[in-house]
């Protein structure tokens, strides 16, 4: 495992010291990226070592990529190395099943690493706003690490998210508002309470954990890039992490070729990235009245919007918004025809695939990866209510 060389600002490139906990760039408030000296991991012989897991040392799951992760003792619950399922109906479509992670979502990856580093730094109290699944993951990893978790989530977050946080012993505040209101509350109280803020993109390690999705999807496709990656985008951490992974893998000589088109998928009721992309803007505007049953996508203004938009343009990708009705139709379609109960966020990705085939942006011969970012089983209240509504109408 490499030592961290420095933390680099994504905007102004200023270096920060990894020996102490850092949040955002001290000069411009940009998100910080973790940078390493990768010389020991370069080349195909290093790549070939990856699969040799060492069961007794905890290097399974996403920690198979320990060669490109910080050199610290992990807090792990078995996150990562999730199934890459080929669609039964579309031979060039793979579904990355992130619902198989601990706490049932991809948030496990980012929070496993963020809590690992928090323990390494000796932090005792962590706080975060959440649309739901990040809260559950933070609560679980904090419990495993013996660290306090203070979680702020909208009151109408799916029940499973609230229950899991309480069961893991986290301090939960339900907020009448959105994740942006929760974020404000954390920011207002953190210094008085002695909390370290691990909000999305306001510390360097959640991106770093989520980058393992990029390594995994390339390895699982035989160390080749797909043509497109569909990512349900709220804060955009996974997309930013995967793009970082692709750059690192190219630097290491582990993959070649054209990077995938990155597709940001949002819901029509909260689509700040789609609007900014369509207008050619460099950043998004705060979305008013955000609403969608895909609760993870209810992020009215992502902190990393400029990075997301840059990735979409550089990758020749696109941002698309789907109605809740189209998302729910796709959720039922994949449940009935593929045997997979997707999260609403994952169903936004499957619906977006159908949409981009219909518009001609992609063809059936394009090899694509769709992210099911969470398990549908965490949304039984939301899905159940919609099914009931349909039956009675
Ligand atoms: C299931 C699910 N999918 C997608 C997202 C959005 O993730 P990101 O913030 O990385 O864009 C979330 C965030 O809460 C989520 O819970
Ligand atoms: Zn900066």
């Amino acid at each position: 495992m490499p030592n961290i060389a420095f933390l680099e600002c994504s905007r102004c490139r200023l270096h920060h010291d990894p020996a102490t906990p850092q949040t955002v760039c001290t000069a411009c408030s940009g998100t910080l990226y973790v940078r390493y000296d990768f010389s020991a991991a370069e080349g195909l012989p290093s790549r070939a070592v990856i699969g040799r897991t060492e069961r007794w040392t905890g290097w399974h799951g996403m920690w198979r990529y320990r060669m490109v992760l910080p050199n610290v003792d992990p807090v792990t619950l078995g996150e990562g190395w999730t199934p890459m399922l080929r669609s039964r109906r579309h031979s060039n479509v793979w579904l990355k099943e992130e619902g198989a992670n601990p706490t049932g979502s991809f948030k496990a990856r980012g929070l496993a690493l963020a809590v690992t580093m928090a323990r390494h730094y000796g932090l005792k109290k962590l706080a975060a706003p959440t649309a739901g699944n990040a809260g559950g993951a933070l609560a679980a990893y904090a419990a495993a690490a013996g660290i306090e978790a203070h979680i702020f989530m909208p009151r109408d977050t799916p029940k499973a998210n609230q229950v899991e946080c309480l069961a893991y012993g986290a301090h939960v505040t339900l907020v009448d508002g959105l994740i942006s209101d929760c974020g404000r509350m954390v920011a207002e109280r953190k210094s008085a309470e002695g909390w370290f803020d691990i909000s999305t993109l306001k510390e360097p390690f959640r991106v770093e954990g989520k980058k393992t999705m990029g390594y995994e999807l390339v390895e699982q496709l035989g160390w080749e890039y797909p043509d497109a990656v569909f990512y349900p985008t709220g804060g955009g951490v996974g997309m930013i992490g995967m793009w970082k992974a692709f750059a690192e893998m190219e630097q290491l000589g582990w993959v070649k070729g054209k990077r995938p088109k990155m597709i940001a998928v949002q819901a029509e009721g909260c689509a700040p990235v789609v609007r900014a992309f369509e207008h050619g803007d460099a950043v998004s505007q705060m979305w008013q009245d955000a609403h969608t049953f895909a609760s993870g996508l209810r992020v009215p203004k992502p902190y990393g919007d400029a990075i997301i938009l840059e990735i979409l343009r550089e990758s020749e990708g696109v941002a698309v918004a789907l109605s809740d009705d189209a998302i729910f139709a796709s959720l039922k379609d994949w449940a009935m025809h593929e045997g997979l109960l997707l999260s609403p966020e994952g169903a936004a990705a499957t619906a977006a695939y159908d949409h981009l085939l219909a518009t001609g942006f992609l063809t059936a011969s394009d090899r694509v990866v769709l992210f099911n970012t969470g398990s549908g089983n965490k949304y039984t209240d939301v899905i159940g209510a919609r099914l009931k509504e349909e039956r009675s109408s």
Side-chain angles (χ1 to χ4, degrees):
M1 290 170 97
N3 291 318
I4 300 171
F6 51 86
L7 304 171
E8 183 183 40
C9 176
S10 56
R11 283 188 205 150
C12 75
R13 308 288 159 204
L14 185 69
H15 290 191
H16 295 68
D17 182 6
T20 54
Q22 302 285 348
T23 54
V24 292
C25 174
T26 50
C28 77
S29 302
T31 297
L32 300 179
Y33 287 142
V34 184
R35 303 293 188 202
Y36 312 85
D37 173 5
F38 271 157
S39 47
E42 272 166 18
L44 296 185
S46 298
R47 194 182 82 176
V49 172
I50 287 169
R52 292 182 213 146
T53 54
E54 294 154 22
R55 266 173 215 285
W56 296 278
T57 52
W59 302 126
H60 46 258
M62 75 176 202
W63 300 95
R64 70 196 276 110
Y65 303 108
R66 61 191 177 280
M67 258 188 279
V68 293
L69 291 171
N71 182 17
V72 292
D73 189 22
V75 178
T76 178
L77 297 169
E79 55 289 339
W81 200 242
T82 54
M84 181 75 107
L85 303 172
R86 195 168 198 163
S87 164
R88 287 162 198 281
R89 296 172 294 173
H90 312 279
S91 59
N92 290 315
V93 172
W94 281 262
L95 187 112
K96 185 74 171 141
E97 181 47 291
E98 291 292 297
N101 278 301
T103 72
S105 90
F106 71 144
K107 297 281 176 181
R109 297 174 187 266
L111 285 147
L113 194 54
V115 172
T116 288
M117 293 307 296
R119 184 176 73 174
H120 170 76
Y121 288 128
L123 299 171
K124 299 283 184 244
K125 297 178 184 185
L126 304 177
T130 175
N133 287 313
L138 168 59
Y141 287 94
I147 292 175
E148 265 180 37
H150 297 265
I151 293 165
F152 291 74
M153 61 169 73
R155 191 176 298 282
D156 57 356
T157 298
K159 201 85 192 152
N161 296 128
Q162 304 179 22
V163 171
E164 65 185 336
C165 290
L166 292 170
Y168 289 124
H171 302 262
V172 180
T173 305
L174 297 178
V175 175
D176 293 311
L178 294 172
I179 189 171
S180 41
D181 303 299
C182 298
R184 227 177 355 259
M185 292 173 82
V186 170
E188 279 163 13
R189 289 180 56 189
K190 63 185 177 189
S191 53
E193 303 276 2
W195 298 338
F196 184 79
D197 182 357
I198 53 168
S199 296
T200 293
L201 298 170
K202 292 187 182 166
E203 60 74 53
F205 296 104
R206 286 176 65 176
V207 169
E208 200 56 16
K210 277 198 181 167
K211 86 176 181 185
T212 57
M213 295 192 294
Y215 280 87
E216 263 178 50
L217 80 83
V218 170
E219 182 177 355
Q220 288 174 323
L221 293 177
W223 296 106
E224 282 182 22
Y225 283 135
D227 295 306
V229 173
F230 285 68
Y231 184 74
T233 303
V237 185
M239 179 178 293
I240 295 170
M242 285 192 272
W243 200 248
K244 179 175 191 281
F246 299 156
E248 289 179 0
M249 278 187 278
E250 289 165 14
Q251 182 195 339
L252 290 162
W254 291 6
V255 68
K256 290 197 288 263
K258 188 182 174 318
R259 287 192 202 171
K261 292 183 164 74
M262 300 302 280
I263 318 287
V265 183
Q266 301 203 298
E268 280 179 359
C270 182
V273 171
V274 177
R275 183 178 282 168
F277 183 80
E278 288 174 351
H279 290 184
D281 295 341
V283 294
S284 66
Q285 301 301 320
M286 178 70 82
W287 190 273
Q288 300 303 324
D289 246 346
H291 61 89
T292 165
F293 82 124
S295 43
L297 306 185
R298 265 190 325 177
V299 179
K301 180 170 178 15
Y303 192 71
D305 52 3
I307 311 177
I308 301 168
L309 288 159
E310 223 175 85
I311 293 170
L312 295 179
R313 293 182 177 123
E314 198 183 328
S315 74
E316 296 165 6
V318 70
V320 287
L322 289 304
S323 69
D324 277 11
D325 285 347
I327 294 171
F328 193 59
S330 196
L331 188 148
K332 287 187 298 179
D333 177 46
W334 276 69
M336 288 180 205
H337 299 112
E338 304 265 357
L340 295 167
L341 186 61
L342 308 180
S343 58
E345 295 83 352
T350 54
Y353 176 69
D354 293 341
H355 174 72
L356 291 184
L357 275 189
T359 63
F361 185 85
L362 292 172
T363 68
S365 63
D366 287 316
R367 290 169 17 126
V368 309
V369 174
L370 314 178
F371 268 86
N372 179 38
T373 41
S375 164
N377 291 327
K378 295 191 83 175
Y379 297 80
T380 51
D381 48 350
V382 188
I383 296 171
R386 278 199 158 248
L387 287 173
K388 200 168 155 197
E389 223 171 81
E390 271 191 356
R391 232 174 288 129
S392 62
S393 67

